[in-house]
Amino acid sequence: MAEVWKRVRRERQIWLLCIPMIAWVLIFSYYPMYGLLISFQHYVPGQSMFSNWVGFDHFVRFFNEPDFLQIIRNTLVISLLNLAIGFPAPIILALLLNEVRGRLFKKTIQSLSYIPYFISWVVVANILFTLLGSDGILNDMLQRLGIIDAPLEFLTKGSYFWGILVASNVWKDMGFSAIIYLSAIAGIDKELYEAGRVDGLGRFGLIRHITLPGIRSTAVLLFILAIGGILNAGFEQQLLIGNPLTQDHYEVIDTYVYRFGVQLGNYSYGTAVGLMKSGIGLVLVILANRLSKRYMQSSIF
Amino acid sequence: MEYRSRRGSLTNLAADAAIIIVLLLLGFVVVYPFINLLALSFNDGKDAARGGIYFFPRKVSFSAYNMLFENKKLLSGLGWSVLRVAVGTVTCLFVTGLLSYIISIRTFSGRKFMRVLFFMTMYFSGGIIPTYILMNQLHLTNTFQVYWIPGLINAYFMLLMASYISDLPEALFESARIDGAGELRIYMRIVIPVAMPVFAAVSIYAAVGHWNSWFDVILYNFNGQFDTLQVYLRRLLLEVEATQQIRDQQLLLHKFQGLSPQTLRAATTILVTVPILCVYPFLQKYFIGGITLGSVKG
Amino acid sequence: MRLRISTALVLGSVLLTGGLLAGCSSNGNESSNGNQANQPANDAQQTTNTAAEPKVNEYGWTVPEKTINIDYYSADKDNPDKSAKKLAAIHDYLLEQFNVDVKKTQYDVDGKEKLNLMLASNDYPGVISSIDSDTMDKWRSQGKLIDLAPLVDKYGSNIKKELGDKYNSYLDKDGKLWGIPRGWGYLPIPDFSAHIRWDWYQEMGSPKIETPEDYYNVLKQMVAAHPKNAQGEKTYAISWNDQIGINNVMGIWGLKDGYKDDADHNLTHWLKTDEGLEAVKYYNKFYREGLMDPDSFLNKYDDWKLKFSNERILGHIGPWWHSWNAGHEVWKTTMEGWTDNQRYVQIGLKAPNAEASYLSPKDTTGWNYTVITDKEAKPEDIIKFLDFEITPIGTRLLGWGIPNLPDSVWNYEQGGKWSFNDAQKQKLFAGTFEYDKTDEVTGSNQIWLSHPQGIMSDDNKSTAWYDQNFNMEDKWKALMNTNLKDTIYDNTARRIVFTADNPLTIVNQQIEDLIKTGFAKAVMSKTEQDAVNAFNDMRDKAIKIGLEDIEAFRTEAYKANLAKVQ
């Protein structure tokens, strides 16, 4: 005990800085968490937060939904595709940008690459429609080139949907996500490159032995977090790009809960599924963190 | 930064060319929709309904912009947005950065506790109703403060920044500590300058987040006094898009008069994107090339 | 004795006038124009001299001595700036002429969500309008609303008179009234129809179109005559978009809002009827013959509009204003040498076996309600105003807005005589009527707490929608109304409310989802047999989910409603 007290005394300066932050997080994040209780209730706004208990009914209901398996499949497939393509894409972009020598060219591309991040999904859906519709630009081109006879049903076939969705996600987020890798690259000590060159490393050698290790901890961190977010497979984009014919491929947990919970006025259901998702996400992150600690010597906490 | 290759070897040149081509292609894919939106936004609404506008407007018209600029609220909205981005980004960066530094101090006993305490907030939140009641109780509704106080610390940013700061050599801070510098001083004098690239990157994230957010504005600042640009523009668009929810045909006809969603949406995208794009060039210098730690130490 | 009374009168009136003047001058800063604010004070002076009785204004409203405050939240999502701008004129007018101060609050957030937050945080005004029956019930069960029935008994004679027999249908089983309906009544204007391209139809010699089959044949010939549009793109006979209701379409085959109604008032969903199958086969035929836009079920309204404006889709079964917004209203400005005949005309279709075509269901209950909460200090004042608003003259004033201004749509004289402003009427016909501007100047329909949208009780003709008063005077509207007048029907009794705590709410949503997907898949089948199979699959799945429970629930509610009205 005395040991602990001594430590705290020694670190009192740091603890003093921590106190307001702890107060802040308790007030703004932890205190409102009593709202999670409604997952176990049949909640009607205005009622007390401690009544109408229904136990785990909402959780059980979710597992008994008629389309449960399909929803889980879609969520996982879309997420894993996002991870497999969307995760390396910004790294590659950052590496490419770093290899460019023309200052102006580099600056320009870099500044422009995050424009798509600002384009709303409504507009993206419009673009996709003109591009991929049955008489869209792509079908038109393929037909003229004689590659296909009849227009391909890009937007109405479920099997295409996943690819289109993931491609749009990547397009939209790649530039914005690359920013953090660029900062990591910028943080690499210049002297390391000098030393590398002295050791006779070529261009790819420098990337492999200096740049990549330099951004490793950032990449591992983002990867671990992405694992935790595996049940978040998007929401707005599904509703906008999807249509009745692709519903069996686009419906993911969030769209389902939105339509059957929130829109029908059932807050408890929405909260319950959200809570479950968070719980699973947290477990996954902890697992990923463990693995990364063991094999990559890098961890979040 | 330019580690010019000593040998202009053929493979190197080919690689350069390939990189430039890939980036040019990417640049086109990224910029074209924007150019298209630009063209659309300057086109007459009814004419645009015919389609076929690619690079340039066909029938030039400023009506979409006129509609957007019609109201004085646009300017005040822009003002609040800029203020929000400035105040929100600076405070968030300062506080979250400090936290990131604290949880990166290897000798600090509360390091793991603090990490976990904030990390959890990424996964669990109370939901909209308790948060609304809280803001109401704290009298934060209908104030400017609600834009930055609840966003002071962001756990995601904390992890990003801590990961960067942890990679820095411990000796950097240790020597300052031996010289008797306080932690706050070390943070401001050493951590911030050395970790500038990550501060710059996260400030772009934070700025964009503040710039784009609208939900908290209409939720907490419902009296309209602190409406931001996003909210103002969203409202105009909404008039076009909310019509889908109206069941009554007569109401619908009444509301649909004279609005062209297509060009208005394009103009809105342009207006929303251009100001925030200007942030990047200011921060760009921190991204180019590597730093030399030695120079900071000395 | 006499002398004493007159002295009292004079004294009283002097005091009253003084009070009014003082009141007005202190209110002066609220009004934008100081001179205007003095006007009613002078009026008041004159009347108080003649009698101390409460002043009755030209609309028959007893002007109260103390200003009535109506502070309400309207749960209709709208732009608050615009809404405030449009309220200003009518607000001032009501304050001056009626001594009623209306404060309306509106936000651009989902009204239901905002109401939930208000309920949860106990922070809400005295009056709420545009609250739907489900939410109203939530508020009632938390004890936040007051029962209006006693107040209506005391102060609401017009409410009872105007609602007539329907009044009882708004009471709950204990005879309590929790809300006054808004936008109620029967408005006999059509919503839904088939459309025909008028100039091309004339070119074809306008063959008769009565049945879906006729329509198909005409469209087929039309596509043959116009296989490509001006840009050389392939044309289609028909398409679809996300705003077309399948239930409306079923009306062509004689179903009412998607349900078959037998002699005993049992309801059968279209999935379980031959008519439903016929409808699917009908669209499937277009699809199989390449006459249907392959992107039909992926079109959002905007996408559809683009194709329609470009003359790529020659026919349309859907809301009539689709063909206006996407058709001649666009062509007028973009097409060189556009003529009046280049437009769509609405026609009714009826399948040969159907007893009638039921395209436009009309629910006379109203969209939603105005309620008074426990925070209202003077509920009786609110009811008094609602009672005025619901009368024909109240409806005219709040529906059409302030009269007698150059931009007013109507003129009103003391004694109840009124007329339409001819200049505005001509603008309406010419398509140059400025809706937004008129709203701003006259405040038309900006305050809508209790008035009907249906025809008014005094002349059985006027409606609160100004522009719907001359349908037979405008050539094209008249054509539409004549063609479709038999397709409009009163659907009130079939109205249904799915509350959040009803387990069938979810079943209903699941079936609607299934139909959205299933209908599209069935229509887009390669052979007729495939279409029939897809239809049967969809039906079987729906039954498995609980279609028959929904039918039973609807039938029960339907019969109960019928009993209430009778």
Side-chain angles (χ1 to χ4, degrees):
Chain A
M1 198 60 209
E3 185 71 15
V4 175
W5 192 237
K6 233 170 102 186
R7 260 200 104 116
V8 170
R9 268 183 65 122
R10 201 178 63 227
E11 292 167 348
R12 68 177 186 285
Q13 212 188 3
I14 307 182
W15 280 114
L16 270 177
L17 291 173
C18 285
I19 287 168
M21 296 196 218
I22 294 173
W24 180 92
V25 79
L26 289 181
I27 294 172
F28 285 96
S29 299
Y30 284 90
Y31 164 65
M33 279 188 203
Y34 68 85
L36 291 171
L37 290 176
I38 69 170
S39 313
F40 308 98
Q41 303 167 346
H42 184 80
Y43 176 71
V44 181
Q47 81 172 37
S48 135
M49 280 279 181
F50 304 96
S51 56
N52 253 336
W53 298 97
V54 296
F56 285 88
D57 278 13
H58 298 295
F59 298 88
V60 174
R61 182 184 135 198
F62 180 64
F63 287 101
N64 289 331
E65 293 290 0
D67 297 327
F68 177 73
L69 285 177
Q70 190 181 302
I71 296 166
I72 295 296
R73 178 200 68 176
N74 294 343
T75 308
L76 290 180
V77 170
I78 293 173
S79 264
L80 290 173
L81 282 174
N82 271 338
L83 193 62
I85 302 166
F87 176 71
I91 301 183
I92 295 170
L93 175 64
L95 290 178
L96 285 179
L97 278 169
N98 195 48
E99 289 301 309
V100 173
R101 294 174 198 183
R103 231 192 154 103
L104 189 68
F105 179 69
K106 178 176 175 173
K107 266 189 166 178
T108 318
I109 296 280
Q110 209 170 315
S111 309
L112 295 180
S113 67
Y114 76 129
I115 286 182
Y117 185 79
F118 296 95
I119 294 177
S120 72
W121 277 110
V122 186
V123 176
V124 175
N126 269 356
I127 295 172
L128 283 176
F129 196 84
T130 43
L131 198 67
L132 302 174
S134 66
D135 42 44
I137 298 166
L138 191 61
N139 264 321
D140 188 54
M141 220 161 69
L142 291 176
Q143 273 169 308
R144 274 171 208 229
L145 292 174
I147 297 173
I148 50 170
D149 298 329
L152 291 174
E153 298 165 327
F154 288 113
L155 295 167
T156 48
K157 260 230 176 91
S159 44
Y160 289 118
F161 180 82
W162 290 337
I164 291 168
L165 186 80
V166 171
S168 340
N169 273 331
V170 171
W171 173 78
K172 222 166 162 310
D173 291 341
M174 181 167 62
F176 193 60
S177 309
I179 289 174
I180 197 71
Y181 292 108
L182 286 167
S183 85
I185 293 174
I188 298 171
D189 198 337
K190 258 162 113 181
E191 288 165 5
L192 286 176
Y193 285 106
E194 294 300 333
R197 237 165 271 138
V198 171
D199 289 349
L201 286 177
R203 195 168 193 167
F204 293 98
L206 287 175
I207 292 180
R208 237 183 81 193
H209 297 290
I210 295 171
T211 314
L212 281 179
I215 61 174
R216 199 186 65 163
S217 60
T218 305
V220 169
L221 168 70
L222 290 181
F223 189 77
I224 293 175
L225 292 179
I227 298 277
I230 210 114
L231 294 180
N232 302 326
F235 171 70
E236 204 189 350
Q237 56 269 53
Q238 264 85 352
L239 294 182
L240 285 164
I241 302 174
N243 59 69
L245 290 165
T246 49
Q247 195 184 13
D248 46 0
H249 282 76
Y250 86 63
E251 189 90 286
V252 292
I253 297 176
D254 286 335
T255 57
Y256 190 83
V257 169
Y258 175 71
R259 292 188 311 118
F260 285 87
V262 181
Q263 274 193 330
L264 299 182
N266 196 339
Y267 283 85
S268 292
Y269 188 51
T271 311
V273 177
L275 182 61
M276 194 190 67
K277 273 179 53 195
S278 302
I280 294 175
L282 191 63
V283 169
L284 287 174
V285 164
I286 292 171
L287 284 178
N289 193 47
R290 280 248 169 98
L291 289 177
S292 135
K293 212 176 205 167
R294 180 174 305 166
Y295 297 108
M296 307 279 288
Q297 287 78 46
S298 170
S299 72
I300 301 183
F301 44 74
Chain B
M1 56 144 283
E2 262 110 293
Y3 48 94
R4 256 178 220 300
S5 80
R6 293 132 300 170
R7 297 149 291 168
S9 75
L10 212 58
T11 44
N12 238 336
L13 277 177
D16 274 340
I19 288 168
I20 287 184
I21 289 170
V22 168
L23 285 179
L24 272 178
L25 267 176
L26 188 96
F28 177 76
V29 169
V30 155
V31 172
Y32 174 71
F34 196 70
I35 292 174
N36 183 245
L37 287 173
L38 205 59
L40 265 177
S41 72
F42 283 107
N43 203 71
D44 177 75
K46 289 212 162 118
D47 177 71
R50 281 172 50 213
I53 292 166
Y54 300 110
F55 287 93
F56 301 102
R58 185 170 46 218
K59 191 173 164 191
V60 177
S61 152
F62 300 98
S63 59
Y65 288 99
N66 280 342
M67 184 165 173
L68 293 177
F69 283 101
E70 197 180 53
N71 199 318
K72 299 194 283 296
K73 273 221 127 156
L74 181 97
L75 276 184
S76 78
L78 183 68
W80 286 120
S81 280
V82 170
L83 195 64
R84 176 181 179 161
V85 167
V87 173
T89 308
V90 169
T91 53
C92 169
L93 259 281
F94 185 81
V95 178
T96 308
L98 181 59
L99 176 64
S100 312
Y101 167 61
I102 287 173
I103 61 169
S104 308
I105 301 176
R106 284 186 197 133
T107 55
F108 176 44
S109 60
R111 185 173 165 222
K112 191 154 179 178
F113 165 73
M114 291 296 279
R115 264 182 196 242
V116 173
L117 185 70
F118 283 90
F119 179 72
M120 284 299 168
T121 65
M122 283 176 74
Y123 288 86
F124 299 104
S125 75
I128 193 173
I129 290 177
T131 317
Y132 178 84
I133 294 174
L134 175 71
M135 298 299 169
N136 222 353
Q137 284 166 346
L138 294 176
H139 299 289
L140 284 175
T141 47
N142 291 323
T143 63
F144 177 76
Q145 322 314 334
V146 81
Y147 291 152
W148 63 277
I149 293 180
L152 265 182
I153 301 177
N154 180 308
Y156 179 68
F157 296 163
M158 171 194 85
L159 292 174
L160 287 177
M161 295 166 97
S163 133
Y164 190 99
I165 297 172
S166 306
D167 280 356
L168 296 172
E170 182 74 10
L172 221 55
F173 317 122
E174 213 42 65
S175 57
R177 250 171 238 143
I178 290 164
D179 291 348
E183 296 299 342
L184 205 57
R185 197 183 152 85
I186 298 178
Y187 171 61
M188 295 208 281
R189 288 293 162 83
I190 301 177
V191 176
I192 295 182
V194 174
M196 209 55 210
V198 79
F199 272 76
V202 170
S203 63
I204 291 179
Y205 285 169
V208 167
H210 275 296
W211 179 258
N212 278 351
S213 66
W214 52 267
F215 190 68
D216 56 345
V217 182
I218 53 175
L219 188 63
Y220 303 131
N221 282 347
F222 41 83
N223 75 1
Q225 205 188 328
F226 301 99
D227 279 353
T228 57
L229 182 69
Q230 285 281 355
V231 166
Y232 171 74
L233 296 175
R234 240 191 105 259
R235 264 185 204 143
L236 283 178
L237 276 187
L238 178 109
E239 278 168 59
V240 188
E241 273 151 27
T243 46
Q244 290 203 3
Q245 289 158 12
I246 303 171
R247 295 279 293 278
D248 191 271
Q249 306 288 321
Q250 180 57 32
L251 266 177
L252 207 52
L253 174 76
H254 206 78
K255 293 212 163 181
F256 235 107
Q257 293 289 337
L259 288 171
S260 165
Q262 214 187 356
T263 53
L264 193 62
R265 213 183 273 143
T268 309
T269 309
I270 302 291
L271 265 183
V272 159
T273 316
V274 168
I276 195 71
L277 281 182
C278 301
V279 171
Y280 204 101
F282 282 111
L283 297 167
Q284 189 142 33
K285 62 173 177 224
Y286 301 109
F287 289 114
I288 293 177
I291 47 167
T292 308
L293 288 175
S295 65
V296 183
K297 268 183 279 181
Chain C
M1 194 65 190
R2 229 157 216 274
L3 198 81
R4 256 204 243 156
I5 291 174
S6 61
T7 321
L9 269 179
V10 171
L11 262 174
S13 50
V14 167
L15 281 175
L16 197 67
T17 315
L20 271 174
L21 279 171
C24 279
S25 51
S26 66
N27 279 346
N29 53 352
E30 271 183 15
S31 167
S32 55
N33 191 326
N35 288 334
Q36 260 177 7
N38 280 330
Q39 208 60 42
N42 292 336
D43 290 351
Q45 200 168 19
Q46 277 164 19
T47 38
T48 40
N49 279 339
T50 52
E53 277 166 23
K55 184 199 159 194
V56 174
N57 76 4
E58 54 185 323
Y59 300 97
W61 163 260
T62 313
V63 181
E65 283 180 30
K66 260 191 164 167
T67 308
I68 291 182
N69 284 298
I70 303 181
D71 180 357
Y72 78 102
Y73 166 63
S74 161
D76 277 329
K77 190 171 167 172
D78 205 355
N79 183 333
D81 305 331
K82 268 210 169 155
S83 137
K85 215 165 140 193
K86 288 180 174 181
L87 192 74
I90 187 90
H91 166 270
D92 293 351
Y93 189 81
L94 287 179
L95 189 59
E96 284 160 19
Q97 309 285 328
F98 286 68
N99 205 13
V100 174
D101 188 354
V102 181
K103 188 179 154 223
K104 172 184 175 187
T105 312
Q106 209 164 6
Y107 303 119
D108 71 341
V109 284
D110 182 67
K112 260 188 135 151
E113 242 157 62
K114 186 74 201 177
L115 284 172
N116 281 335
L117 289 174
M118 284 179 165
L119 186 57
S121 62
N122 208 23
D123 184 9
Y124 51 84
V127 179
I128 298 171
S129 82
S130 304
I131 182 168
D132 63 32
S133 52
D134 185 19
T135 314
M136 182 167 83
D137 197 55
K138 239 188 257 171
W139 281 66
R140 178 200 57 77
S141 66
Q142 310 268 326
K144 306 287 189 191
L145 302 185
I146 59 172
D147 173 20
L148 305 178
L151 291 168
V152 170
D153 286 340
K154 220 166 164 185
Y155 308 103
S157 58
N158 290 315
I159 294 178
K160 280 192 158 171
K161 188 179 136 211
E162 292 296 327
L163 291 173
D165 296 342
K166 286 172 66 66
Y167 178 71
N168 286 330
S169 71
Y170 295 107
L171 301 176
D172 72 1
K173 59 180 190 307
D174 303 322
K176 292 184 172 171
L177 181 69
W178 300 106
I180 307 283
R182 53 187 296 277
W184 54 276
Y186 188 62
L187 179 67
I189 57 167
D191 304 327
F192 201 84
S193 84
H195 297 76
I196 196 80
R197 173 72 188 249
W198 200 241
D199 51 339
W200 293 348
Y201 181 56
Q202 303 292 332
E203 277 169 27
M204 287 168 68
S206 30
K208 133 186 113 64
I209 305 180
E210 278 167 7
T211 65
E213 207 52 39
D214 297 340
Y215 189 53
Y216 163 82
N217 288 327
V218 168
L219 286 181
K220 196 173 176 176
Q221 286 177 48
M222 214 176 255
V223 171
H226 303 272
K228 297 224 155 119
N229 71 356
Q231 283 93 44
E233 295 165 309
K234 183 172 164 24
T235 58
Y236 297 102
I238 204 150
S239 183
W240 191 275
N241 67 53
D242 61 341
Q243 292 190 14
I244 301 175
I246 299 176
N247 286 354
N248 285 90
V249 171
M250 294 300 161
I252 297 173
W253 283 268
L255 303 186
K256 288 177 176 168
D257 202 19
Y259 282 84
K260 195 169 181 171
D261 185 1
D262 73 6
D264 299 328
H265 302 305
N266 292 312
L267 298 175
T268 311
H269 190 268
W270 64 264
L271 269 177
K272 291 171 65 190
T273 63
D274 294 338
E275 288 88 344
L277 181 60
E278 280 309 307
V280 167
K281 280 185 184 165
Y282 180 68
Y283 277 98
N284 176 245
K285 188 160 69 176
F286 280 105
Y287 179 77
R288 274 184 289 121
E289 297 181 12
L291 291 170
M292 189 169 190
D293 173 12
D295 293 338
S296 291
F297 296 101
L298 121 111
N299 289 330
K300 302 264 186 314
Y301 174 68
D302 277 350
D303 309 315
W304 174 90
K305 192 175 162 191
L306 188 75
K307 294 181 189 173
F308 196 82
S309 300
N310 282 319
E311 304 176 278
R312 296 203 52 197
I313 300 161
L314 307 188
H316 181 50
I317 298 178
W320 62 264
W321 53 269
H322 281 185
S323 82
W324 279 50
N325 280 153
H328 67 265
E329 284 184 359
V330 172
W331 298 335
K332 239 184 205 173
T333 61
T334 61
M335 212 181 252
E336 268 174 51
W338 175 80
T339 60
D340 208 24
N341 269 347
Q342 283 175 299
R343 63 162 69 229
Y344 278 81
V345 165
Q346 288 69 26
I347 48 171
L349 299 181
K350 185 181 90 65
N353 297 327
E355 48 162 17
S357 181
Y358 296 111
L359 296 178
S360 305
K362 293 289 163 183
D363 183 348
T364 61
T365 313
W367 309 303
N368 40 42
Y369 301 86
T370 297
V371 298
I372 303 181
T373 69
D374 54 355
K375 301 225 169 161
E376 179 57 53
K378 291 188 174 153
E380 66 279 359
D381 281 355
I382 310 290
I383 290 293
K384 281 182 197 161
F385 185 74
L386 298 189
D387 188 60
F388 164 75
E389 184 184 342
I390 210 168
T391 61
I393 193 63
T395 305
R396 284 195 180 90
L397 178 65
L398 292 162
W400 299 341
I402 304 166
N404 306 332
L405 302 171
D407 283 318
S408 293
V409 298
W410 68 307
N411 300 311
Y412 182 73
E413 293 165 31
Q414 186 99 33
K417 252 191 81 179
W418 64 271
S419 59
F420 285 115
N421 177 348
D422 204 52
Q424 289 286 54
K425 195 168 139 184
Q426 291 315 319
K427 274 194 187 168
L428 186 70
F429 293 160
T432 54
F433 183 75
E434 292 167 280
Y435 284 88
D436 277 346
K437 195 182 155 202
T438 313
D439 285 352
E440 243 172 69
V441 175
T442 70
S444 50
N445 278 336
Q446 293 310 302
I447 297 171
W448 195 323
L449 293 166
S450 66
H451 68 263
Q453 69 158 335
I455 40 188
M456 293 180 207
S457 61
D458 61 345
D459 63 358
N460 268 319
K461 208 165 72 189
S462 318
T463 97
W465 298 111
Y466 162 71
D467 56 345
Q468 289 302 334
N469 284 294
F470 323 100
N471 280 337
M472 296 315 275
E473 291 174 50
D474 175 76
K475 179 182 164 196
W476 299 106
K477 279 257 175 92
L479 199 53
M480 163 162 82
N481 283 296
T482 317
N483 288 345
L484 296 178
K485 67 177 189 303
D486 298 332
T487 64
I488 307 166
Y489 65 105
D490 188 332
N491 197 41
T492 311
R494 254 170 254 94
R495 163 198 175 80
I496 194 104
V497 177
F498 282 105
T499 54
D501 53 353
N502 184 347
L504 286 178
T505 307
I506 294 161
V507 175
N508 186 56
Q509 179 70 39
Q510 282 167 341
I511 290 176
E512 272 178 23
D513 272 12
L514 172 79
I515 288 175
K516 239 192 219 162
T517 309
F519 181 77
K521 284 195 168 152
V523 167
M524 294 176 72
S525 297
K526 298 269 189 288
T527 67
E528 191 176 275
Q529 192 53 48
D530 283 354
V532 174
N533 292 344
F535 179 87
N536 289 338
D537 275 358
M538 170 167 48
R539 181 196 55 214
D540 295 345
K541 263 193 207 154
I543 290 174
K544 224 173 104 195
I545 298 174
L547 180 64
E548 275 153 2
D549 298 335
I550 299 275
E551 283 179 339
F553 177 62
R554 280 186 181 266
T555 301
E556 195 192 328
Y558 179 33
K559 288 181 178 173
N561 285 340
L562 285 175
K564 249 186 188 175
V565 178
Q566 274 153 15

